Amino acid sequence: MSFADAMQLFVVGLSQGCLYSLIAIGLVLVYKATEQVNFAQGEFMMLGAFVGYQFIVLMGMPYWLGAMLTLVFMGAFGYGVEALVVRRLTGQPVFTVFILTLALGIALRAVAGIIWGFGNYSLPAPVDGNLTLGPVIISWTSVLSIVVTAVVASALYLFFRYARQGVAMQALSLNQLAAFYMGIPVKRLTSSIWAMSAIFGGIAGLLLGPMTLVSTQMGFIGFKAFAGAIVGGFGSIPGAVIGCLLIGVTEPFFDIMFPTLKGIGAYLIMFLVLLIRPQGLLAQIYAKKV
């Protein structure tokens, strides 16, 4: 493999890892606040891609207008899922929420297929053309995915550090009961976190759609984001980003070196990390007072 080929694979893997990161950030946000794992996060991404397809392609809206409306829809959808469905299981075993979100993902795939069909659909790219950096050619959509991930990660850091609502969400993640006694609106904040999670999934769907194709099966990429979050340390947003970038960059090289094992590189990395460092690369563990 030449140096040019290696750099091309690296850039492709980096952009793919950024998309995994957007999905994983949504996973970690929900887990940090509620200790619940949303196994439908990949389907949130799939739904965002289909809603964007509805606005941009079927209704003929300009891309950026359709994208903004998609994110508004996804925020409202995520808020409603928590407020109307997940909240009813408060106090139930974690396994119950696991089954619920797994069933929700299956239901979303079925509903998307009924509404839009089970075929593959093209979503236009937000920016056409390619960027050439010496021997490396990368689409502007891939560049945009890297930039958006960097902006989202930076904005989240500033939000949780300086914004009043962000600080309240951190308090919620440490101890919900104490946060309630301090006058923090626990229910509203929890729904807001699910809304943010759905928005990040929608962003990933809008960016992934032009790179691949929009289909009811694209949500399965969420399992690779889940693997990345585990590699980085489930509960740590920086860890989730690093873990997903590691998987994204490694995956293209693994697929070329081991073509018979194509598609399972992410899970092998997760398995190795769990054997060596079960808490993940950047574990973030909180000691909760009861």
Side-chain angles (χ1 to χ4, degrees):
M1 181 185 299
S2 66
F3 176 76
D5 292 337
M7 288 302 299
Q8 184 71 52
L9 289 176
F10 175 82
V11 173
V12 170
L14 182 63
S15 63
Q16 190 73 19
C18 287
L19 295 177
Y20 295 162
S21 297
L22 290 172
I23 302 172
I25 287 173
L27 277 167
V28 173
L29 279 176
V30 171
Y31 179 77
K32 280 170 63 68
T34 64
E35 295 187 342
Q36 298 168 344
V37 179
N38 177 21
F39 281 95
Q41 185 66 21
E43 278 65 39
F44 281 11
M45 182 271 294
M46 178 269 299
L47 180 62
F50 267 114
V51 173
Y53 173 78
Q54 175 68 38
F55 286 137
I56 298 168
V57 177
L58 298 183
M59 299 178 67
M61 293 184 181
Y63 181 91
W64 296 108
L65 175 60
M68 290 300 298
L69 290 177
T70 297
L71 298 186
V72 171
F73 174 88
M74 291 305 300
F77 178 79
Y79 194 101
V81 165
E82 196 287 325
L84 301 177
V85 181
V86 179
R87 188 181 300 172
R88 299 178 181 274
L89 298 181
T90 300
Q92 298 298 317
V94 176
F95 183 73
T96 305
V97 179
F98 161 74
I99 293 297
L100 172 68
T101 56
L102 202 61
L104 177 62
I106 296 172
L108 286 177
R109 288 197 298 272
V111 171
I114 292 171
I115 296 176
W116 291 286
F118 292 94
N120 299 318
Y121 306 96
S122 298
L123 185 65
V127 184
D128 294 324
N130 299 314
L131 173 65
T132 303
L133 298 173
V136 178
I137 300 175
I138 179 173
S139 69
W140 280 110
T141 303
S142 296
V143 174
L144 185 61
S145 68
I146 296 172
V147 172
V148 167
T149 302
V151 170
V152 166
S154 302
L156 276 178
Y157 171 79
L158 296 174
F159 174 74
F160 285 119
R161 185 170 181 84
Y162 298 109
R164 183 176 180 182
Q165 191 174 35
V167 174
M169 287 181 178
Q170 289 194 74
L172 179 66
S173 69
L174 290 171
N175 193 315
Q176 288 194 14
L177 186 60
F180 175 78
Y181 285 137
M182 291 296 293
I184 294 175
V186 172
K187 292 182 179 179
R188 179 166 58 83
L189 279 184
T190 302
S191 297
S192 298
I193 289 171
W194 276 78
M196 292 171 62
S197 175
I199 288 172
F200 294 144
I203 294 174
L206 289 170
L207 292 172
L208 181 63
M211 296 182 188
T212 58
L213 290 171
V214 179
S215 73
T216 57
Q217 303 302 309
M218 67 187 300
F220 287 113
I221 197 176
F223 289 109
K224 293 186 178 180
F226 181 71
I230 292 177
V231 168
F234 215 91
S236 169
I237 291 178
V241 173
I242 292 173
C244 287
L245 291 179
L246 176 62
I247 284 179
V249 168
T250 306
E251 204 171 23
F253 294 95
F254 182 89
D255 290 346
I256 287 181
M257 294 174 62
F258 306 101
T260 57
L261 300 177
K262 185 175 181 179
I264 68 170
Y267 310 112
L268 288 179
I269 293 173
M270 179 184 69
F271 178 71
L272 290 175
V273 170
L274 287 175
L275 285 178
I276 300 170
R277 187 176 170 84
Q279 68 271 36
L281 300 179
L282 291 180
Q284 187 167 341
I285 301 173
Y286 298 106
K288 297 189 177 185
K289 295 182 179 180
V290 294

